[in-house]
Amino acid sequence: SQQGEEDPQALSIQEGENATMNCSYKTSINNLQWYRQNSGRGLVHLILIRSNEREKHSGRLRVTLDTSKKSSSLLITASRAADTASYFCATVADPYSGAGSYQLTFGKGTKLSVIP
Amino acid sequence: DAGVIQSPRHEVTEMGQEVTLRCKPISGHNSLFWYRQTMMRGLELLIYFNNNVPIDDSGMPEDRFSAKMPNASFSTLKIQPSEPRDSAVYFCASRRGLDQPQHFGDGTRLSIL
């Protein structure tokens, strides 16, 4: 079953605007990761945030994590046409919760379209 | 640095044929993953190796699917016999450590006619 659930499923914005995508999950996690997938390509890792972290930045990306609400958000500021892609969150379960090995569980993604 | 290399990039074959997908992980990475991606089911983990040993194959759909990792630099995913419902994009990924990000290949787009 899917652990991460992204919201919205699709998002269309104008170039220069900010894009916010949300992810909810169900079980205790060790870390949460965001990936981008361009059409016809593999997934590219963007950012990893651990369960004891609340916010992380990387260039125009900002990720927040709220473990009490079991949710995360990815903010892309000043979007560009090249940001058009699908974005996935993926969780690694807390091994001490009995949820199993350090494998990623992916959501179904948010399809972002940035219009020039 | 070379990334994860998958071959072939595209495969079209008739049902009943054997299909072999290949993956070369990034050197120094000790975990390898095989995923399948479809519109209906999204990205599904098929099998996961750690230090060449299969750790979790609960995602392998049925006995027609098998995966091997004979050494740290090569893995195969085999489907025999193939069926049209196996049509999907198959990704291989590798990572350096247990809580490190995964690096994906560009996938094999498989079409079974």
Side-chain angles (χ1 to χ4, degrees), chain A residues 16-55:
Chain A
E17 293 180 340
N18 295 342
T20 299
M21 289 160 268
N22 302 297
C23 170
S24 59
Y25 58 91
K26 296 181 180 135
T27 61
S28 296
I29 61 170
N30 174 278
N31 67 72
L32 183 144
Q33 303 175 29
W34 284 92
Y35 288 78
R36 183 188 74 223
Q37 184 179 31
N38 290 90
S39 181
R41 303 298 299 273
L43 280 73
V44 174
H45 176 258
L46 296 176
I47 202 160
L48 182 154
I49 186 164
R50 301 187 191 283
S51 60
N52 61 352
E53 297 175 309
R54 292 296 165 257
E55 190 169 309

Side-chain angles (χ1 to χ4, degrees), chain A residues 70-105:
Chain A
K70 292 187 167 59
S71 67
S72 173
S73 67
L74 170 67
L75 168 68
I76 304 174
T77 59
S79 63
R80 304 166 182 168
D83 295 328
T84 294
S86 291
Y87 291 82
F88 295 86
C89 75
T91 54
V92 175
D94 178 357
Y96 299 107
S97 71
S101 57
Y102 279 82
Q103 62 202 40
L104 282 175
T105 306

Side-chain angles (χ1 to χ4, degrees), chain A residues 2 30-31 33 35 37 40-43 45 48 50 88 101-104 106 108, chain B residues 9 33 35 37 40-41 43 45 48 56 91 95 98-102 104-106:
Chain A
Q2 298 291 342
N30 174 278
N31 67 72
Q33 303 175 29
Y35 288 78
Q37 184 179 31
R41 303 298 299 273
L43 280 73
H45 176 258
L48 182 154
R50 301 187 191 283
F88 295 86
S101 57
Y102 279 82
Q103 62 202 40
L104 282 175
F106 284 87
K108 290 202 170 179
Chain B
R9 286 297 313 276
F33 303 80
Y35 292 91
Q37 187 177 40
M40 289 294 293
R41 295 188 299 270
L43 198 63
L45 176 67
Y48 150 44
D56 185 352
F91 288 103
R95 74 178 176 204
L98 289 176
D99 63 348
Q100 297 297 306
Q102 293 186 15
F104 283 75
D106 277 336

Side-chain angles (χ1 to χ4, degrees), chain B residues 17-36:
Chain B
Q17 297 297 306
E18 179 179 290
V19 173
T20 300
L21 311 181
R22 296 173 176 80
C23 175
K24 178 178 168 53
I26 293 173
S27 178
H29 284 197
N30 61 4
S31 297
L32 183 140
F33 303 80
W34 282 101
Y35 292 91
R36 178 172 68 179

